[in-house]
């Protein structure tokens, strides 16, 4: 069981905070978006390279 570092709520099973507006969720969203972008740049390699 993990507690949110911002509001102290018990985190959901998926690791998100039950408080929808919590910064914890915002950070998770940013990290997920960054990971997605990472994968996209990985596969979209055709216009890369210097
Ligand atoms: Zn929280």
């Amino acid at each position: 069981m993990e507690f949110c570092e911002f509001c102290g709520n018990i985190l959901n099973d998926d690791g998100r905070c039950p408080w929808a507006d919590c910064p914890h969720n915002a950070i998770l969203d940013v990290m997920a978006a960054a990971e997605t972008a990472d994968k996209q740049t990985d596969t979209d390699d055709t216009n890369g390279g210097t």
Side-chain angles (χ1 to χ4, degrees):
M1 188 181 292
E2 279 191 86
F3 293 93
C4 179
E5 64 270 35
F6 291 97
C7 65
N9 277 320
I10 298 168
L11 297 182
N12 293 332
D13 286 341
D14 62 359
R16 296 184 72 83
C17 180
W19 177 32
D21 289 336
C22 184
H24 177 86
N25 290 337
I27 289 170
L28 287 186
D29 286 343
V30 168
M31 281 170 53
E35 263 182 46
T36 306
D38 254 11
K39 283 172 193 159
Q40 278 172 351
T41 43
D42 238 19
T43 51
D44 186 25
D45 216 21
T46 44
N47 59 355
T50 29

